[in-house]
Amino acid sequence: MTDQLKPERKLVAVSADDIKAQLARVSRRGFLKRTLSLGGLALLSGCDLSTHSGVDAALESILRFDDRVQAALFSRDRLVQTYPASAITRPFRFNAYYPEWQVRDVPDGWVLNVAGQVAEKRPWTLEALMALPQESQITRHICIEGWSQIGQWRGVPLHVFLRHIGADLSARYVAFTCFDGYSTSIDMASALHPQTLLALDFDSKPLEPQWGAPVRLRIPTKLGFKSAKNIEAIEVTNTFPGGYWEQQGYDWFAGV
Ligand SMILES: Nc1nc2c(c(=O)[nH]1)N[C@H]1C(S)=C(S)[C@@H](COP(=O)(O)O)O[C@H]1N2
Ligand SMILES: [Mo]
């Protein structure tokens, strides 16, 4: 056989190693690694794995499946562990998708915008937020990068806020947009969990910019990347909103 007549092996654009590397990258929770072979992936997802878009579609569908399993196992009544003040981690570690010197100050005239399936879309000032009932928690913040620390946050339970704005509590998602360019989103059941806070204080002081001023999400039932800092808008929606890290392959549900 001449070279030209050999079967064209390069037609398969994505190798098994490519796919495995991709799988390792997205399966930080270990779900895919433990349970899936490549054949299994093709079978479960019904996707063609010979192209990059096919692989993406397959991974996407498996991640959505993992999200649904986690959502089904999530209990709105199960509280995460809380700690005494003596357990608080100091100094507390800063994290963001940029270094600490790039932290933005709160923009002049900041208000919290409210959008989507809510009855009352008027924006909120910090003073108006501070007038709502608040709760304090000392909980463990777990980053997907493999470190954790215990902190204290105080703020308005998100379910209280959502009821105040007349949110459609049967909608699927609550999405957060931040003025540092970050975004994330959570399922409604997790949004209504009693320990999910719109935090205004950190360590008994009003939030400083690096800790998410003027308002951040604090959601101890999920990995740290869901706890959006520097929030400027909250949307209640049935359209899957994704988020900054979610778009880069992080598991969307991200329960701890
Ligand atoms: N606005 C915004 N929120 C964010 C992030 C970010 O880059 N921007 N990073 C997330 C990640 S990955 C983590 S671990 C926590 C870090 O919060 P901390 O700085 O209070 O420890 O913020 C989360 N919220
Ligand atoms: Mo994180």
Side-chain angles (χ1 to χ4, degrees):
M1 254 204 280
T2 69
D3 264 1
Q4 277 188 331
L5 291 175
K6 276 187 191 158
E8 184 46 285
R9 306 209 52 172
K10 288 213 173 92
L11 272 180
V12 178
V14 184
S15 72
D17 281 350
D18 275 356
I19 297 171
K20 278 189 187 137
Q22 273 253 54
L23 276 176
R25 190 175 59 78
V26 299
S27 73
R28 298 218 148 85
R29 291 181 57 82
F31 172 80
L32 298 173
K33 261 179 286 185
R34 282 199 310 273
T35 56
L36 274 184
S37 64
L38 287 180
L41 178 61
L43 207 67
L44 258 177
S45 65
C47 294
D48 169 16
L49 298 185
S50 66
T51 66
H52 276 288
S53 60
V55 171
D56 283 349
L59 292 174
E60 199 50 36
S61 79
I62 296 299
L63 283 175
R64 289 292 82 83
F65 173 73
D66 188 18
D67 286 342
R68 286 198 298 278
V69 171
Q70 289 189 61
L73 293 173
F74 178 78
S75 164
R76 219 193 272 177
D77 310 317
R78 217 189 90 219
L79 299 181
V80 302
Q81 188 177 351
T82 59
Y83 298 85
S86 59
I88 293 174
T89 308
R90 292 195 182 90
F92 204 77
R93 178 170 172 167
F94 164 87
N95 198 37
Y97 72 95
Y98 46 81
E100 191 160 357
W101 63 268
Q102 285 180 3
V103 165
R104 276 80 154 172
D105 279 327
V106 181
D108 287 342
W110 175 93
V111 284
L112 176 63
N113 290 294
V114 171
Q117 294 177 219
V118 302
E120 181 52 76
K121 289 191 175 147
R122 143 187 79 88
W124 286 68
T125 62
L126 189 53
E127 292 66 39
L129 281 173
M130 281 171 11
L132 294 177
Q134 295 190 39
E135 277 179 31
S136 183
Q137 67 174 245
I138 301 175
T139 50
R140 184 180 293 277
H141 168 109
I142 305 167
C143 178
I144 199 167
E145 293 165 351
W147 48 269
S148 79
Q149 50 189 355
I150 294 169
Q152 177 182 42
W153 293 268
R154 182 168 187 271
V156 181
L158 184 58
H159 71 87
V160 170
F161 182 74
L162 290 174
R163 289 177 219 280
H164 261 273
I165 61 176
D168 173 1
L169 302 183
S170 70
R172 296 176 69 175
Y173 310 108
V174 181
F176 302 87
T177 312
C178 311
F179 59 75
D180 64 353
Y182 194 73
S183 59
T184 190
S185 57
I186 57 175
D187 54 292
M188 182 60 80
S190 300
L192 297 176
H193 187 278
Q195 289 172 307
T196 303
L197 299 183
L198 279 179
L200 302 169
D201 286 19
F202 172 61
D203 215 6
S204 305
K205 290 186 289 283
L207 285 176
E208 289 163 17
Q210 74 273 29
W211 308 124
V215 57
R216 81 173 297 172
L217 189 66
R218 173 56 195 149
I219 178 162
T221 53
K222 290 193 187 285
L223 292 172
F225 74 91
K226 292 294 188 181
S227 284
K229 302 193 274 191
N230 312 123
I231 299 173
E232 64 177 3
I234 298 181
E235 184 183 3
V236 176
T237 178
N238 277 319
T239 308
F240 181 68
Y244 180 89
W245 287 119
E246 291 87 342
Q247 235 133 322
Q248 296 176 57
Y250 278 17
D251 165 40
W252 178 75
F253 192 87
V256 297

